[in-house]
Coordinates of all heavy atoms in Angstrom, one line a residue:
G138 N 69.1 -19.1 12.4 CA 68.8 -17.7 12.7 C 67.3 -17.6 12.9 O 66.5 -18.5 13.0
I139 N 66.9 -16.3 13.1 CA 65.5 -16.0 13.3 C 64.9 -15.7 11.9 O 65.4 -15.0 11.1 CB 65.4 -14.7 14.1 CG1 66.0 -15.0 15.5 CG2 64.0 -14.2 14.2 CD1 66.1 -13.8 16.4
T140 N 63.7 -16.3 11.7 CA 63.0 -16.2 10.4 C 62.2 -14.9 10.4 O 61.9 -14.3 11.4 CB 62.0 -17.3 10.2 OG1 61.0 -17.2 11.2 CG2 62.7 -18.7 10.3
Y141 N 61.9 -14.5 9.2 CA 61.1 -13.2 9.0 C 59.7 -13.4 9.5 O 59.1 -12.5 10.1 CB 61.1 -12.9 7.5 CG 62.3 -12.3 7.0 CD1 63.1 -12.9 6.0 CD2 62.8 -11.0 7.5 CE1 64.3 -12.3 5.5 CE2 64.0 -10.5 7.0 CZ 64.7 -11.1 6.0 OH 65.9 -10.6 5.6
Q142 N 59.2 -14.7 9.4 CA 57.9 -14.9 10.0 C 57.9 -14.7 11.5 O 57.0 -14.1 12.0 CB 57.4 -16.4 9.7 CG 56.1 -16.7 10.2 CD 55.7 -18.1 10.1 OE1 56.4 -19.0 9.6 NE2 54.4 -18.4 10.4
Y143 N 58.9 -15.2 12.2 CA 59.0 -15.0 13.6 C 59.1 -13.5 14.0 O 58.4 -13.1 14.9 CB 60.2 -15.8 14.2 CG 60.3 -15.6 15.7 CD1 59.6 -16.4 16.6 CD2 61.1 -14.5 16.2 CE1 59.7 -16.2 17.9 CE2 61.2 -14.3 17.6 CZ 60.4 -15.2 18.4 OH 60.5 -14.9 19.8
L144 N 59.9 -12.8 13.2 CA 60.1 -11.4 13.5 C 58.7 -10.6 13.3 O 58.4 -9.8 14.1 CB 61.1 -10.7 12.6 CG 62.6 -11.1 12.9 CD1 63.5 -10.6 11.9 CD2 63.0 -10.6 14.3
A145 N 58.0 -11.0 12.2 CA 56.7 -10.4 12.0 C 55.7 -10.7 13.1 O 55.0 -9.8 13.5 CB 56.2 -10.8 10.6
M146 N 55.7 -12.0 13.5 CA 54.8 -12.4 14.5 C 55.1 -11.7 15.9 O 54.2 -11.3 16.6 CB 54.8 -13.9 14.7 CG 54.0 -14.6 13.6 SD 52.3 -14.3 13.5 CE 51.7 -14.9 15.1
A147 N 56.4 -11.6 16.2 CA 56.8 -11.0 17.4 C 56.5 -9.5 17.5 O 55.9 -9.0 18.5 CB 58.3 -11.2 17.6
T148 N 56.7 -8.8 16.4 CA 56.3 -7.4 16.3 C 54.8 -7.2 16.4 O 54.4 -6.3 17.1 CB 56.9 -6.8 14.9 OG1 58.3 -7.0 14.9 CG2 56.6 -5.4 14.8
A149 N 54.1 -8.0 15.6 CA 52.6 -7.9 15.7 C 52.1 -8.3 17.0 O 51.2 -7.6 17.6 CB 52.0 -8.8 14.6
A150 N 52.6 -9.3 17.7 CA 52.1 -9.8 19.0 C 52.3 -8.7 20.0 O 51.4 -8.3 20.8 CB 52.8 -11.0 19.4
D151 N 53.5 -8.1 20.0 CA 53.8 -7.0 21.0 C 52.8 -5.8 20.8 O 52.3 -5.2 21.7 CB 55.2 -6.6 20.9 CG 56.2 -7.5 21.7 OD1 55.7 -8.5 22.3 OD2 57.4 -7.1 21.8
G152 N 52.6 -5.5 19.5 CA 51.8 -4.3 19.2 C 50.3 -4.6 19.6 O 49.7 -3.7 20.1
V153 N 49.8 -5.8 19.3 CA 48.4 -6.1 19.6 C 48.2 -6.1 21.1 O 47.3 -5.5 21.6 CB 48.1 -7.5 19.0 CG1 46.8 -8.0 19.6 CG2 47.9 -7.4 17.5
V154 N 49.1 -6.7 21.9 CA 49.0 -6.8 23.3 C 49.1 -5.4 23.9 O 48.3 -5.0 24.8 CB 49.9 -7.8 23.9 CG1 50.0 -7.7 25.5 CG2 49.6 -9.2 23.5
A155 N 50.0 -4.6 23.4 CA 50.2 -3.2 23.9 C 48.9 -2.4 23.7 O 48.4 -1.7 24.6 CB 51.4 -2.5 23.3
G156 N 48.3 -2.5 22.5 CA 47.1 -1.8 22.2 C 45.9 -2.3 23.0 O 45.1 -1.4 23.5
I157 N 45.8 -3.6 23.2 CA 44.7 -4.1 24.0 C 44.8 -3.7 25.5 O 43.8 -3.2 26.1 CB 44.6 -5.6 23.9 CG1 44.1 -6.0 22.5 CG2 43.8 -6.3 25.0 CD1 44.2 -7.5 22.2
C158 N 46.0 -3.8 26.0 CA 46.2 -3.3 27.4 C 45.9 -1.9 27.6 O 45.4 -1.4 28.6 CB 47.6 -3.7 27.9 SG 47.8 -5.5 28.1
Y159 N 46.4 -1.1 26.6 CA 46.1 0.4 26.7 C 44.6 0.6 26.7 O 44.1 1.4 27.6 CB 46.7 1.1 25.5 CG 46.4 2.6 25.4 CD1 47.0 3.5 26.2 CD2 45.3 3.0 24.6 CE1 46.6 4.8 26.2 CE2 45.0 4.3 24.5 CZ 45.6 5.2 25.3 OH 45.3 6.6 25.3
E160 N 43.8 0.0 25.8 CA 42.4 0.2 25.8 C 41.7 -0.3 27.1 O 40.8 0.3 27.6 CB 41.8 -0.5 24.6 CG 42.1 0.1 23.3 CD 41.5 1.6 23.1 OE1 40.4 1.8 23.6 OE2 42.2 2.4 22.5
L161 N 42.2 -1.4 27.6 CA 41.6 -2.0 28.8 C 41.8 -1.0 30.0 O 40.9 -0.8 30.8 CB 42.1 -3.4 29.1 CG 41.6 -4.5 28.2 CD1 42.4 -5.8 28.5 CD2 40.1 -4.7 28.4
N162 N 43.0 -0.5 30.1 CA 43.3 0.5 31.1 C 42.5 1.8 31.0 O 42.0 2.3 32.0 CB 44.8 0.9 31.1 CG 45.7 -0.2 31.7 OD1 45.3 -0.9 32.6 ND2 46.9 -0.4 31.1
E163 N 42.2 2.2 29.8 CA 41.4 3.4 29.5 C 40.0 3.2 30.0 O 39.3 4.1 30.4 CB 41.4 3.8 28.0 CG 42.7 4.4 27.6 CD 43.0 5.7 28.2 OE1 42.1 6.6 28.0 OE2 44.1 5.9 28.8
R164 N 39.5 1.9 29.8 CA 38.1 1.6 30.1 C 37.9 1.0 31.5 O 36.7 0.8 31.9 CB 37.5 0.6 29.1 CG 37.6 1.2 27.7 CD 37.2 0.1 26.7 NE 37.4 0.7 25.3 CZ 37.0 0.2 24.2 NH1 36.3 -1.0 24.3 NH2 37.2 0.7 23.1
M165 N 38.9 0.9 32.3 CA 38.9 0.2 33.6 C 37.9 0.9 34.5 O 37.1 0.2 35.2 CB 40.2 0.1 34.2 CG 40.3 -0.8 35.4 SD 40.3 -2.5 35.0 CE 41.9 -2.7 34.1
A166 N 37.8 2.2 34.6 CA 37.0 2.9 35.5 C 35.5 2.6 35.3 O 34.7 2.6 36.3 CB 37.3 4.4 35.5
R167 N 35.1 2.4 34.1 CA 33.6 2.2 33.8 C 33.3 0.8 33.5 O 32.2 0.5 33.0 CB 33.2 3.2 32.7 CG 33.9 3.1 31.4 CD 33.4 4.3 30.5 NE 34.0 4.1 29.2 CZ 35.2 4.5 28.8 NH1 36.0 5.1 29.7 NH2 35.7 4.3 27.6
M168 N 34.2 -0.1 33.7 CA 34.0 -1.5 33.4 C 33.3 -2.2 34.6 O 33.6 -1.9 35.7 CB 35.4 -2.2 33.2 CG 35.4 -3.6 32.6 SD 37.0 -4.2 32.4 CE 37.7 -3.1 31.2
T169 N 32.4 -3.1 34.3 CA 31.7 -3.9 35.3 C 32.6 -5.0 35.8 O 33.5 -5.4 35.1 CB 30.4 -4.5 34.8 OG1 30.7 -5.4 33.7 CG2 29.4 -3.4 34.2
A170 N 32.2 -5.6 36.9 CA 33.0 -6.7 37.4 C 32.9 -7.9 36.5 O 33.9 -8.6 36.2 CB 32.5 -7.1 38.8
S171 N 31.7 -8.2 35.9 CA 31.6 -9.3 35.0 C 32.4 -9.1 33.7 O 32.9 -10.0 33.1 CB 30.1 -9.7 34.8 OG 29.5 -8.6 34.1
G172 N 32.4 -7.8 33.3 CA 33.1 -7.5 32.1 C 34.6 -7.6 32.3 O 35.4 -8.2 31.5
A173 N 35.1 -7.2 33.5 CA 36.5 -7.4 33.8 C 36.9 -8.8 33.9 O 38.0 -9.2 33.4 CB 36.8 -6.7 35.2
D174 N 36.0 -9.7 34.4 CA 36.3 -11.1 34.5 C 36.4 -11.7 33.1 O 37.3 -12.5 32.8 CB 35.2 -11.8 35.3 CG 35.5 -13.3 35.5 OD1 36.6 -13.6 36.0 OD2 34.6 -14.1 35.1
R175 N 35.5 -11.3 32.2 CA 35.6 -11.8 30.8 C 36.9 -11.4 30.1 O 37.6 -12.2 29.5 CB 34.4 -11.4 30.1 CG 34.4 -11.9 28.6 CD 33.2 -11.7 27.9 NE 33.4 -12.2 26.5 CZ 32.5 -12.0 25.6 NH1 31.4 -11.3 25.7 NH2 32.8 -12.4 24.4
F176 N 37.2 -10.1 30.3 CA 38.4 -9.6 29.7 C 39.7 -10.2 30.3 O 40.6 -10.5 29.5 CB 38.5 -8.1 29.8 CG 37.6 -7.3 28.9 CD1 36.8 -6.3 29.3 CD2 37.6 -7.6 27.5 CE1 35.9 -5.6 28.5 CE2 36.8 -6.9 26.6 CZ 36.0 -5.9 27.1
A177 N 39.6 -10.5 31.5 CA 40.8 -11.2 32.2 C 41.0 -12.6 31.6 O 42.1 -13.0 31.3 CB 40.6 -11.3 33.7
N178 N 39.9 -13.3 31.4 CA 39.9 -14.7 30.7 C 40.5 -14.5 29.3 O 41.3 -15.3 28.9 CB 38.6 -15.3 30.7 CG 38.1 -15.8 32.0 OD1 38.9 -16.1 32.9 ND2 36.8 -15.9 32.2
E179 N 40.0 -13.6 28.6 CA 40.4 -13.4 27.2 C 41.8 -13.0 27.1 O 42.6 -13.4 26.2 CB 39.4 -12.4 26.5 CG 38.1 -13.0 26.3 CD 37.1 -12.0 25.7 OE1 37.4 -10.8 25.6 OE2 35.9 -12.4 25.4
L180 N 42.3 -12.1 28.0 CA 43.7 -11.7 27.9 C 44.6 -12.8 28.3 O 45.6 -13.0 27.7 CB 43.9 -10.5 28.9 CG 45.3 -9.9 28.9 CD1 45.7 -9.4 27.5 CD2 45.3 -8.7 29.9
Q181 N 44.2 -13.7 29.3 CA 45.0 -14.8 29.6 C 45.1 -15.8 28.4 O 46.2 -16.3 28.1 CB 44.4 -15.6 30.8 CG 45.2 -16.8 31.2 CD 46.5 -16.4 31.8 OE1 46.6 -15.6 32.7 NE2 47.6 -16.9 31.2
F182 N 44.0 -16.0 27.7 CA 44.0 -16.8 26.5 C 45.0 -16.2 25.5 O 45.8 -16.9 24.9 CB 42.6 -16.9 25.9 CG 42.6 -17.4 24.5 CD1 42.7 -18.7 24.2 CD2 42.4 -16.5 23.4 CE1 42.7 -19.2 22.9 CE2 42.4 -16.9 22.1 CZ 42.5 -18.3 21.9
L183 N 44.9 -14.9 25.3 CA 45.8 -14.3 24.3 C 47.2 -14.4 24.7 O 48.1 -14.7 23.8 CB 45.4 -12.8 24.1 CG 46.1 -12.0 23.0 CD1 45.7 -12.6 21.7 CD2 45.8 -10.5 23.1
M184 N 47.5 -14.2 26.0 CA 48.9 -14.4 26.4 C 49.4 -15.8 26.2 O 50.5 -16.0 25.8 CB 49.0 -14.1 27.9 CG 48.8 -12.6 28.2 SD 48.5 -12.2 30.0 CE 50.0 -12.9 30.7
N185 N 48.6 -16.8 26.5 CA 48.9 -18.2 26.3 C 49.2 -18.5 24.8 O 50.1 -19.3 24.5 CB 47.9 -19.2 26.9 CG 47.8 -19.1 28.4 OD1 48.8 -18.7 29.0 ND2 46.7 -19.6 28.9
T186 N 48.3 -17.9 24.0 CA 48.4 -18.2 22.5 C 49.7 -17.6 21.9 O 50.3 -18.2 21.1 CB 47.2 -17.7 21.8 OG1 46.0 -18.3 22.4 CG2 47.2 -18.0 20.3
L187 N 50.0 -16.4 22.4 CA 51.1 -15.6 21.8 C 52.4 -15.6 22.6 O 53.4 -15.0 22.2 CB 50.7 -14.1 21.5 CG 49.5 -13.9 20.6 CD1 49.2 -12.4 20.5 CD2 49.9 -14.5 19.2
K188 N 52.4 -16.4 23.7 CA 53.6 -16.4 24.6 C 54.9 -16.6 23.9 O 55.9 -16.0 24.2 CB 53.4 -17.6 25.6 CG 54.4 -17.6 26.7 CD 54.3 -18.8 27.6 CE 52.9 -19.2 27.9 NZ 52.7 -20.3 28.8
K189 N 54.9 -17.5 22.9 CA 56.1 -17.8 22.1 C 56.7 -16.5 21.4 O 57.9 -16.4 21.2 CB 55.8 -18.8 21.1 CG 56.9 -19.2 20.1 CD 56.4 -20.3 19.2 CE 57.3 -20.6 18.1 NZ 56.8 -21.6 17.1
Y190 N 55.8 -15.6 21.1 CA 56.2 -14.4 20.3 C 56.3 -13.1 21.1 O 56.9 -12.1 20.7 CB 55.2 -14.1 19.2 CG 55.1 -15.3 18.2 CD1 54.0 -16.1 18.3 CD2 56.1 -15.6 17.3 CE1 53.8 -17.2 17.4 CE2 56.0 -16.7 16.5 CZ 54.8 -17.5 16.5 OH 54.7 -18.5 15.7
L191 N 55.8 -13.1 22.3 CA 55.8 -11.8 23.1 C 57.1 -11.6 23.8 O 57.7 -12.6 24.3 CB 54.7 -11.9 24.2 CG 53.3 -11.8 23.7 CD1 52.3 -12.1 24.8 CD2 53.0 -10.4 23.1
S192 N 57.5 -10.4 23.8 CA 58.8 -10.0 24.6 C 58.5 -10.1 26.1 O 57.3 -10.1 26.5 CB 59.2 -8.6 24.2 OG 58.2 -7.6 24.7
D193 N 59.5 -10.2 26.8 CA 59.4 -10.3 28.3 C 58.7 -9.0 28.8 O 57.9 -9.1 29.7 CB 60.8 -10.5 29.0 CG 61.4 -11.8 28.7 OD1 60.6 -12.8 28.3 OD2 62.6 -12.0 28.9
D194 N 59.1 -7.9 28.3 CA 58.4 -6.6 28.7 C 56.9 -6.7 28.5 O 56.1 -6.3 29.3 CB 59.0 -5.4 28.0 CG 60.4 -5.1 28.5 OD1 60.8 -5.6 29.6 OD2 61.2 -4.4 27.8
M195 N 56.5 -7.1 27.3 CA 55.1 -7.1 27.0 C 54.4 -8.2 27.8 O 53.2 -8.0 28.1 CB 54.9 -7.3 25.5 CG 53.6 -6.8 25.0 SD 53.1 -5.2 25.5 CE 54.4 -4.1 24.9
L196 N 55.0 -9.3 28.1 CA 54.4 -10.3 28.9 C 54.1 -9.7 30.3 O 53.1 -10.0 30.9 CB 55.3 -11.6 29.1 CG 55.1 -12.6 28.0 CD1 56.2 -13.7 28.2 CD2 53.7 -13.3 28.1
S197 N 55.0 -8.9 30.8 CA 54.9 -8.3 32.1 C 53.7 -7.3 32.1 O 52.9 -7.2 33.0 CB 56.2 -7.6 32.5 OG 56.1 -6.9 33.7
V198 N 53.7 -6.5 31.0 CA 52.6 -5.5 30.8 C 51.2 -6.2 30.8 O 50.3 -5.8 31.5 CB 52.8 -4.7 29.5 CG1 51.5 -3.9 29.2 CG2 53.9 -3.7 29.7
A199 N 51.1 -7.3 30.1 CA 49.9 -8.1 30.0 C 49.5 -8.7 31.3 O 48.3 -8.7 31.7 CB 50.0 -9.1 28.9
E200 N 50.5 -9.2 32.0 CA 50.2 -9.8 33.3 C 49.7 -8.8 34.3 O 48.8 -9.1 35.1 CB 51.5 -10.6 33.8 CG 51.2 -11.3 35.1 CD 50.1 -12.3 35.1 OE1 49.9 -13.0 34.1 OE2 49.5 -12.5 36.2
N201 N 50.3 -7.6 34.3 CA 49.9 -6.6 35.2 C 48.5 -6.1 34.8 O 47.6 -5.9 35.7 CB 50.8 -5.4 35.1 CG 52.2 -5.6 35.8 OD1 52.3 -6.5 36.6 ND2 53.2 -4.9 35.4
C202 N 48.2 -6.0 33.6 CA 46.8 -5.7 33.1 C 45.8 -6.7 33.5 O 44.7 -6.4 34.1 CB 46.8 -5.5 31.6 SG 45.2 -4.9 30.9
R203 N 46.2 -8.0 33.4 CA 45.3 -9.1 33.8 C 45.0 -9.1 35.3 O 43.9 -9.3 35.7 CB 45.9 -10.5 33.4 CG 44.9 -11.6 33.5 CD 45.7 -13.0 33.4 NE 46.6 -13.2 34.4 CZ 46.3 -13.6 35.7 NH1 45.0 -13.8 36.0 NH2 47.2 -13.8 36.6
R204 N 46.1 -8.8 36.1 CA 45.9 -8.7 37.5 C 44.9 -7.6 37.9 O 44.1 -7.7 38.8 CB 47.2 -8.5 38.2 CG 48.1 -9.8 38.3 CD 49.3 -9.5 39.0 NE 50.2 -10.7 38.9 CZ 51.5 -10.7 39.0 NH1 52.1 -9.6 39.1 NH2 52.2 -11.8 38.8
M205 N 45.0 -6.4 37.2 CA 44.1 -5.3 37.5 C 42.7 -5.7 37.1 O 41.8 -5.4 37.9 CB 44.5 -4.1 36.7 CG 45.8 -3.4 37.3 SD 46.1 -1.7 36.6 CE 45.9 -1.9 34.9
L206 N 42.5 -6.4 36.0 CA 41.2 -6.9 35.7 C 40.6 -7.9 36.7 O 39.5 -7.8 37.1 CB 41.2 -7.6 34.3 CG 41.4 -6.7 33.1 CD1 41.8 -7.5 31.9 CD2 40.2 -5.8 32.8
C207 N 41.5 -8.8 37.2 CA 41.0 -9.7 38.2 C 40.7 -9.0 39.5 O 39.7 -9.4 40.2 CB 42.1 -10.8 38.5 SG 42.4 -12.0 37.2
A208 N 41.4 -8.0 39.9 CA 41.1 -7.2 41.1 C 39.7 -6.5 40.9 O 38.9 -6.5 41.8 CB 42.2 -6.2 41.4
K209 N 39.5 -5.9 39.7 CA 38.3 -5.2 39.4 C 37.1 -6.2 39.4 O 36.0 -5.9 39.9 CB 38.4 -4.6 38.0 CG 37.1 -3.9 37.5 CD 36.9 -2.6 38.1 CE 35.7 -1.9 37.5 NZ 35.6 -0.5 37.9
A210 N 37.4 -7.4 39.0 CA 36.3 -8.5 38.9 C 36.1 -9.1 40.3 O 35.1 -9.8 40.5 CB 36.7 -9.6 37.9
G211 N 36.9 -8.8 41.2 CA 36.8 -9.4 42.5 C 37.0 -10.9 42.5 O 36.5 -11.7 43.3
H212 N 37.9 -11.3 41.5 CA 38.2 -12.7 41.3 C 37.0 -13.6 41.1 O 36.9 -14.7 41.6 CB 39.1 -13.3 42.5 CG 40.3 -12.5 42.6 ND1 41.4 -12.7 41.8 CD2 40.7 -11.6 43.5 CE1 42.4 -11.9 42.2 NE2 42.0 -11.2 43.2
L213 N 36.0 -13.0 40.3 CA 34.8 -13.8 40.0 C 35.2 -15.0 39.1 O 35.9 -14.8 38.0 CB 33.8 -12.9 39.2 CG 33.1 -11.9 40.0 CD1 32.3 -11.0 39.0 CD2 32.3 -12.4 41.1
Q214 N 34.9 -16.1 39.4 CA 35.1 -17.3 38.6 C 34.0 -18.3 38.9 O 33.8 -18.6 40.1 CB 36.5 -17.9 38.7 CG 37.5 -17.0 38.1 CD 38.9 -17.6 38.2 OE1 39.1 -18.5 38.9 NE2 39.8 -17.0 37.4
G215 N 33.4 -18.9 38.0 CA 32.4 -19.9 38.3 C 31.9 -20.6 37.0 O 32.5 -20.5 36.0
D216 N 30.7 -21.2 37.1 CA 30.2 -21.9 36.0 C 29.3 -21.1 35.1 O 28.7 -21.5 34.1 CB 29.4 -23.1 36.5 CG 30.3 -24.1 37.2 OD1 31.5 -24.2 36.8 OD2 29.8 -24.8 38.1
G217 N 29.0 -19.8 35.5 CA 28.1 -18.9 34.8 C 28.7 -18.4 33.5 O 29.7 -18.9 33.0
P218 N 28.1 -17.3 33.0 CA 28.6 -16.8 31.7 C 30.0 -16.3 31.7 O 30.6 -16.2 30.6 CB 27.6 -15.6 31.5 CG 27.0 -15.3 32.8 CD 27.0 -16.6 33.6
D219 N 30.6 -16.0 32.9 CA 31.9 -15.5 32.9 C 32.9 -16.5 33.5 O 34.0 -16.2 33.8 CB 32.0 -14.2 33.8 CG 31.1 -13.1 33.3 OD1 31.1 -12.9 32.1 OD2 30.3 -12.6 34.1
G220 N 32.5 -17.7 33.6 CA 33.4 -18.7 34.1 C 33.7 -19.8 33.1 O 34.3 -19.6 32.1
L221 N 33.3 -21.0 33.4 CA 33.7 -22.2 32.6 C 33.3 -22.1 31.2 O 34.0 -22.4 30.3 CB 33.1 -23.4 33.3 CG 33.5 -24.8 32.7 CD1 35.1 -24.9 32.8 CD2 32.9 -25.9 33.5
A222 N 32.0 -21.6 30.9 CA 31.6 -21.5 29.6 C 32.5 -20.6 28.7 O 32.8 -20.9 27.6 CB 30.1 -21.0 29.5
A223 N 32.9 -19.5 29.3 CA 33.7 -18.5 28.5 C 35.1 -19.2 28.3 O 35.6 -19.0 27.2 CB 33.9 -17.3 29.3
I224 N 35.6 -19.9 29.2 CA 36.9 -20.6 29.0 C 36.8 -21.6 28.0 O 37.7 -21.8 27.1 CB 37.4 -21.1 30.4 CG1 37.8 -19.9 31.3 CG2 38.6 -22.0 30.2 CD1 38.1 -20.3 32.7
E225 N 35.7 -22.4 28.0 CA 35.6 -23.4 26.9 C 35.5 -22.8 25.6 O 36.0 -23.3 24.6 CB 34.3 -24.3 27.2 CG 34.5 -25.2 28.4 CD 33.2 -25.9 28.8 OE1 32.2 -25.5 28.3 OE2 33.3 -26.9 29.6
E226 N 34.8 -21.7 25.4 CA 34.7 -21.0 24.2 C 36.0 -20.5 23.7 O 36.4 -20.7 22.5 CB 33.7 -19.8 24.3 CG 33.5 -19.0 23.1 CD 32.6 -17.8 23.3 OE1 31.7 -17.9 24.2 OE2 32.8 -16.8 22.6
L227 N 36.8 -20.0 24.6 CA 38.2 -19.6 24.3 C 39.1 -20.7 23.8 O 39.9 -20.6 22.9 CB 38.8 -18.8 25.4 CG 38.2 -17.4 25.7 CD1 38.8 -16.9 27.0 CD2 38.5 -16.5 24.5
E228 N 38.9 -21.9 24.5 CA 39.7 -23.0 24.1 C 39.4 -23.5 22.7 O 40.3 -23.9 22.0 CB 39.5 -24.2 25.1 CG 40.2 -23.9 26.4 CD 39.8 -25.0 27.5 OE1 39.0 -25.9 27.2 OE2 40.5 -25.0 28.5
R229 N 38.1 -23.5 22.3 CA 37.7 -23.8 21.0 C 38.4 -22.8 20.0 O 38.9 -23.2 18.9 CB 36.2 -23.9 20.8 CG 35.6 -25.1 21.4 CD 34.1 -25.2 21.0 NE 33.3 -24.1 21.5 CZ 32.7 -24.0 22.7 NH1 32.9 -25.0 23.5 NH2 32.0 -23.0 23.0
L230 N 38.3 -21.6 20.3 CA 38.9 -20.6 19.4 C 40.4 -20.8 19.4 O 41.0 -20.6 18.3 CB 38.6 -19.2 20.0 CG 39.0 -18.0 19.2 CD1 38.4 -18.0 17.8 CD2 38.7 -16.7 19.9
G231 N 41.0 -21.1 20.5 CA 42.5 -21.4 20.5 C 42.9 -22.5 19.6 O 43.9 -22.4 18.9
R232 N 42.1 -23.5 19.4 CA 42.4 -24.6 18.5 C 42.4 -24.1 17.1 O 43.3 -24.5 16.3 CB 41.4 -25.8 18.7 CG 41.7 -26.5 20.0 CD 40.9 -27.8 20.0 NE 39.4 -27.6 20.2 CZ 38.8 -27.5 21.4 NH1 39.5 -27.6 22.5 NH2 37.5 -27.4 21.4
V233 N 41.5 -23.2 16.8 CA 41.5 -22.6 15.4 C 42.8 -21.8 15.2 O 43.4 -21.9 14.2 CB 40.3 -21.7 15.2 CG1 40.3 -21.0 13.9 CG2 39.0 -22.6 15.2
Y234 N 43.2 -21.0 16.2 CA 44.4 -20.1 16.1 C 45.6 -21.0 15.9 O 46.5 -20.7 15.1 CB 44.6 -19.2 17.3 CG 43.7 -18.0 17.3 CD1 43.2 -17.5 18.5 CD2 43.3 -17.4 16.2 CE1 42.4 -16.4 18.6 CE2 42.5 -16.3 16.2 CZ 42.0 -15.8 17.4 OH 41.2 -14.7 17.4
V235 N 45.7 -22.1 16.7 CA 46.9 -23.0 16.5 C 47.0 -23.6 15.2 O 48.0 -23.6 14.6 CB 46.8 -24.1 17.6 CG1 47.8 -25.1 17.4 CG2 47.1 -23.5 19.0
L236 N 45.8 -23.9 14.6 CA 45.8 -24.5 13.2 C 46.3 -23.4 12.3 O 47.0 -23.7 11.3 CB 44.4 -25.0 12.8 CG 43.9 -26.2 13.5 CD1 42.5 -26.5 13.2 CD2 44.8 -27.4 13.1
C237 N 45.8 -22.2 12.4 CA 46.2 -21.1 11.5 C 47.7 -20.7 11.7 O 48.3 -20.3 10.7 CB 45.3 -19.8 11.8 SG 43.6 -20.0 11.4
L238 N 48.2 -20.8 12.9 CA 49.6 -20.5 13.1 C 50.6 -21.6 12.7 O 51.8 -21.5 12.7 CB 49.9 -20.1 14.5 CG 49.2 -18.8 15.0 CD1 49.4 -18.6 16.5 CD2 49.8 -17.6 14.3
G239 N 50.0 -22.8 12.4 CA 50.8 -23.9 11.9 C 51.6 -24.6 13.0 O 52.7 -25.1 12.7
E240 N 51.1 -24.5 14.2 CA 51.9 -25.1 15.3 C 51.3 -26.4 15.7 O 50.1 -26.6 15.7 CB 51.9 -24.1 16.5 CG 52.7 -22.8 16.2 CD 52.6 -21.9 17.3 OE1 52.0 -22.1 18.4 OE2 53.2 -20.8 17.2

């Protein structure tokens, strides 16, 4: 069956992603392109990290939010502060999360 740990993680994951997407949507109008690019990278990282626990509906909400961020960013991606360096930082953080989640 389903463990209590899984139920707790699934509930928490959906709640966290819903809250983050709500806040990002609220701030979208005054967000800069570089800010949107960074948030898109961070949201993608969060989706990849919590994919196992997120409901299909919440994955869809997060993907739509990420697409809006990418559109706002003008699909900025590169080696600068909002490109490769940010992704490498998130990957290091991801390794810590994976260790903490015991996966």
Side-chain angles (χ1 to χ4, degrees):
I139 297 175
T140 65
Y141 285 116
Q142 179 186 7
Y143 178 86
L144 289 173
M146 286 296 296
T148 302
D151 278 2
V153 166
V154 170
I157 288 172
C158 289
Y159 173 81
E160 288 297 324
L161 289 171
N162 284 325
E163 289 291 307
R164 298 172 187 195
M165 193 73 66
R167 55 188 189 278
M168 191 179 298
T169 65
S171 62
D174 185 54
R175 180 173 178 189
F176 283 129
N178 287 336
E179 291 174 353
L180 185 57
Q181 182 65 58
F182 164 78
L183 187 64
M184 290 166 59
N185 290 343
T186 303
L187 297 177
K188 186 185 324 181
K189 175 179 171 182
Y190 301 105
L191 289 171
S192 66
D193 290 341
D194 289 343
M195 203 47 59
L196 271 173
S197 177
V198 166
E200 183 59 30
N201 289 337
C202 184
R203 191 191 65 78
R204 286 184 186 150
M205 287 192 315
L206 289 165
C207 287
K209 176 81 175 188
H212 300 284
L213 290 175
Q214 290 183 344
D216 296 327
D219 300 315
L221 188 57
I224 291 170
E225 288 173 348
E226 181 181 330
L227 289 172
E228 286 176 351
R229 284 192 296 276
L230 184 59
R232 287 190 289 272
V233 172
Y234 283 148
V235 168
L236 288 172
C237 291
L238 292 174
E240 295 177 1

